[in-house]
Every structure is written in structure tokens, then in C-alpha cells.
Amino acid sequence: MGARRAVRTSGAAPVFDGPLCFCRDCLGDLDIRARRCGHCGSPRLVRHHGLPALALAHIDCDAFYATVEKRDNPDLADKPVIIGGGKRGVVSAACYISRTFGVRSAMPMFKALALCPHAAVIRPDMAKYVRVGREVRHAMQALTPLVEPLSIDEAFLDLAGTQRVHGMIPAKVLARFAREVERDIGITVSVGLSCNKFLAKIASDLDKPRGFAALDQHEARDMLADKPVGFIFGVGPATQERLVQRGFRTIADLQRADEVELMKQFSTEGRRLWRLARGIDDRKVVADRGAKTISNETTFETDIRDFTTLERTLWRLSEKVSSRLKSSDLSGLTITLKLKTADFRQRTRSQSIHAPTQLAAKIFAVSREMLAKEIDGNRLPPDGHRRQRAEAGIAGRRHRHARPPLGPCRTRDGRFAEEVRK
């Protein structure tokens, strides 16, 4: 018989009841001291003293692109695989075998192949990855309506209040989900289970690949203490440098700090850091976030420094972004331009506009102005990584249009003239 726990809320009847340990393969309840499943012999157990009460999960597909390719070509199962392409591109994804050689996402391809010359290199097939991602997403939505996608291969899920529906605690529901995804879709996922988003995201990285980890707020404080302040999401290099300059090198330094003092130094960001350092995160899982950004990018086969050539490419990207906005009946307020120099340093520039737009002409005009300021003789190399390619995009709130969308009008030689209402 497995150990069970009832967790009470102030004065109320027990609301959480379930095992503290169970088998991920057969879902049988176990004593928390068990090392193997007494029913099926599996060593893959989940154990945590607060397990019945944890209901917020982060699910992340393991090396998603590479795993899909290995699924579709079993000959690659025990081989290092790199998703990318071109001698001057970057790695979009790397399987776990490739990672043992030091290959990482966003690494220039020439470096990746120098580290792992015998790797199988496969060009990305985004249409296929989107199809598989949707299959996983639909399986998530069968568990709870509160699914918040973060990307094609990861999402937050809130399973609070679903125990009666599923007849088991959220932890078991997630273990069953992971097993079914592996069986039915042919890829693996890692699950992080906690009481909030911040800790669930950390937990999903603790036992990859094919992992399942639970983490509560009490134990998180000790685990976070020796991590650098940059471990906290949203703390980039510039913010980290500011924190270090003021004596905050590790999360333990933030934990020892006074909340009011941090707010004096860093305003609202100080309060956010103080709370996250203690594992406190009140963000809710939002099911329908909608697209925050719509972008398009390209890969250059040779280094380019000619402004006219880049300008023509930028216009094509602006048209594609505009088309996607119109097809979704959306518009945006912030236009972003991303470039990479020949030494693979990324430049990102953004500019907000006064009114939401979906017009290619407006997107192009603003991004062209930013491009002109950046072209100073540095050549722009190709870049194949989904987050770091040269791209033009638009971001902002969703703005629905009551009037018909605007369309392009061209002169006889194919050059853009102006946009007019249909």
C-alpha cells in the first residue's frame, strides 16, 4: 500500500489526497521509500512529500526537432543528429548524443561540425514540426483547458481541480500523458511539476530527457541559493551586470536582501527579483495568449554588406509579415529588426509606432530606417536558428480590424507603389 497524504486548507476538509510515490510506467502507488516498483519492477518512480498538492506543470518536448527526425528515420536512433544547414548557418537543434560532443543550439554550424564531424545534418522541416507540435498540444488540452503554449514544443498546464475528472492526482495524469505521447506520437517529453510557473520550468530541466521532477517552494529556496542571478528568467547580461555591481552575484544575495531596499534600487524589478529568489511567482496560466509576435526571416548563403541587396530582402520579409498579419486579421505596434554580423554577433533593434499596423509599406519603412543605421560595412552572414536569424517582425497587442485588410499595389516593373484599400 502506498503512503498517502491529505492536505488541509484553513479550517476546510481535506482537498488533496493521493500517493507520495508512484511508478511512472504502471502508475501503481508505492511507499515513498521504494526504489523500484513492486508491481512492474520499473525504477522510474516519482516521489515527493507534497506530490498530491502540486498541480502546475511545465511540459517540454525533448530535443524536439531532432527527436522527430529520429522517429521518422530509425537508422538515426543511435547517431548524433544536428538540425541546421549550410556551412555558414547555425544549429537549430541538436539531439542528446550530439550534445555530448559539445554541440548546442544557436552554435555556428562550422563549430558544431568541428566538434562532431560525423553528425547527421538535417535541414529543418518546419511544416512537419508544426504538425507534431499540434498533436502534442491537442493531447495537453485533453487534460485541462488551461494550457499556455510557450513555443511549438513547450507549454504550462494548470491541472488544479481536475482530480475528480481524471480520477487521479495531477502528477499521475502527467505521467500517463508522457507515456501516451511516447507511445502514440513517438517522441518524449520532460515534465516539471510545482506550485507555480517559475519553479515548474526549473523542475522540467532537472531530469532531462524523458524526465519527471517535482519541486515545491520550500526546497526551491535552498536549491536556488548558489545559482547566479542570471538564472532568474528576464535577467539578461545588462541587468546581471547591474546586480553584480551592487553586490548581488548569486540568488542567495537576493534572498538576504530586504524587499524594500531592492525596490529602491531596481523599482518594480526589485520586487520581482526578491519574490522569485524565494520561489514566489503569482503568474497564472493563461490559455489564450494569442501570438505576441509575427515574424519572418531568411538565410544568406554568402556574406552580404550591400545595402540595396539587404533592402530588397527586407521588403520581401515585410511583405510576408504583412500577409500573415492580414490572414489572421491582426496588427502590431512594435517593429523589430534582427541582424547578425560576420562574427555571429546579433543586433536587435525595435521601434514602436503610434498606431497598430498590418501594412507591408509601414513595416518596411520603419525597419529600413533601422537597417540604414546598422549597415556600417559589417557583412551579414547566414543564420539558420529560429530565434537568432536575420529577421523582420512586428510585435504588440492583438488588434482586430473591422474594416477589410489593406493590400499591395505594384507598378508594371513589380516595384511597390502604395497600399490601397481593397
Side-chain angles (χ1 to χ4, degrees):
M1 180 181 293
R4 305 177 76 84
R5 168 180 290 183
V7 180
R8 297 176 181 271
T9 55
S10 55
V15 292
F16 300 120
D17 185 30
L20 305 184
C21 179
F22 66 88
C23 173
R24 291 172 56 191
D25 291 319
C26 72
L27 302 184
D29 292 356
L30 301 169
D31 187 274
I32 197 167
R33 295 166 295 181
R35 289 294 174 263
R36 280 186 175 270
C37 177
H39 309 288
C40 70
S42 171
R44 301 200 321 138
L45 312 183
V46 178
R47 63 167 57 83
H48 194 280
H49 286 282
L51 202 59
L54 302 177
L56 201 152
H58 178 258
I59 296 178
D60 192 10
C61 298
D62 300 321
F64 181 54
Y65 294 178
T67 303
V68 171
E69 296 297 345
K70 289 194 174 197
R71 178 200 71 174
D72 294 347
N73 184 355
D75 291 341
L76 298 173
D78 59 351
K79 294 181 172 62
V81 171
I82 297 173
I83 308 300
K87 291 183 292 186
R88 303 297 307 281
V90 298
V91 176
S92 294
C95 75
Y96 288 97
I97 298 176
S98 299
R99 295 181 192 185
T100 64
F101 292 89
V103 179
R104 295 290 183 268
S105 294
M107 175 181 287
M109 283 296 297
F110 71 89
K111 288 186 179 180
L113 292 174
L115 291 169
C116 190
H118 57 294
V121 178
I122 302 173
R123 286 193 174 273
D125 184 347
M126 290 307 301
K128 177 166 66 175
Y129 306 150
V130 168
R131 287 195 302 271
V132 178
R134 284 174 179 164
E135 290 183 62
V136 177
R137 185 78 44 77
H138 290 155
M140 292 177 180
Q141 290 167 339
L143 308 182
T144 172
L146 293 178
V147 177
E148 181 178 328
L150 300 180
S151 68
I152 189 176
D153 62 348
E154 62 175 322
F156 286 117
L157 288 78
D158 187 347
L159 284 86
T162 66
Q163 185 165 340
R164 288 188 179 180
V165 174
H166 295 294
M168 59 183 71
I169 62 173
K172 275 196 174 184
V173 174
L174 293 163
R176 184 180 64 183
F177 164 84
R179 188 180 63 185
E180 291 174 349
V181 166
E182 187 169 351
R183 181 193 66 201
D184 300 337
I185 302 177
I187 65 171
T188 62
V189 301
S190 291
V191 178
L193 182 63
S194 188
C195 54
N196 62 50
K197 284 182 171 182
F198 179 52
L199 298 183
K201 182 73 168 68
I202 292 172
S204 69
D205 283 331
L206 294 178
D207 190 30
K208 275 183 163 292
R210 207 167 172 247
F212 193 122
L215 181 67
D216 66 19
Q217 188 175 327
H218 175 72
E219 61 192 342
R221 178 163 180 161
D222 291 336
M223 192 199 77
L224 290 170
D226 62 348
K227 298 287 192 297
V229 290
F231 185 79
I232 297 176
F233 78 93
V235 177
T239 302
Q240 184 170 358
E241 181 60 28
R242 287 175 58 212
L243 287 164
V244 169
Q245 289 175 354
R246 301 189 188 191
F248 303 106
R249 294 182 177 276
T250 67
I251 293 179
D253 295 328
L254 293 172
Q255 291 173 347
R256 289 189 291 267
D258 179 72
E259 180 180 11
V260 174
E261 185 59 34
L262 278 176
M263 290 183 68
K264 287 180 179 178
Q265 295 189 55
F266 302 101
S267 188
T268 55
E269 176 68 359
R271 184 171 189 268
R272 189 184 80 91
L273 294 172
W274 186 89
R275 291 171 63 81
L276 291 178
R278 289 159 176 76
I280 303 170
D281 182 7
D282 295 333
R283 293 174 300 152
K284 304 297 183 184
V285 174
V286 181
D288 183 19
R289 297 193 315 161
K292 287 189 174 181
T293 63
I294 289 180
S295 65
N296 212 278
E297 61 280 321
T298 192
T299 298
F300 301 134
E301 293 300 329
T302 58
D303 290 351
I304 298 173
R305 70 174 75 196
D306 177 59
F307 179 78
T308 302
T309 303
L310 292 170
E311 186 181 36
R312 286 196 298 266
T313 300
L314 187 60
W315 167 245
R316 290 194 296 271
L317 295 176
S318 299
E319 282 190 307
K320 290 178 180 178
V321 171
S322 173
S323 177
R324 291 178 59 192
L325 286 166
K326 292 171 184 176
S327 65
S328 302
D329 198 17
L330 298 172
S331 60
L333 284 168
T334 303
I335 297 170
T336 301
L337 178 72
K338 292 184 181 180
L339 304 168
K340 264 194 176 180
T341 55
D343 56 0
F344 285 90
R345 294 183 180 180
Q346 180 167 295
R347 300 181 182 184
T348 301
R349 299 292 181 265
S350 297
Q351 182 174 324
S352 296
I353 53 181
H354 295 297
T357 189
Q358 56 179 199
L359 305 181
K362 182 64 175 178
I363 298 168
F364 174 70
V366 175
S367 54
R368 181 187 183 279
E369 183 178 338
M370 290 188 285
L371 176 66
K373 295 177 181 178
E374 295 303 315
I375 299 303
D376 53 8
N378 283 306
R379 294 178 297 168
L380 302 177
D383 188 349
H385 188 256
R386 54 182 172 166
R387 291 188 296 270
Q388 296 188 18
R389 294 178 269 214
E391 68 178 42
I394 189 163
R397 302 188 181 195
R398 297 165 68 93
H399 293 275
R400 296 290 180 184
H401 289 264
R403 296 178 294 176
L406 303 180
C409 176
R410 299 177 179 276
T411 59
R412 289 184 180 178
D413 65 358
R415 294 175 61 83
F416 172 80
E418 62 180 346
E419 295 225 359
V420 296
R421 187 169 302 283
K422 290 181 178 179

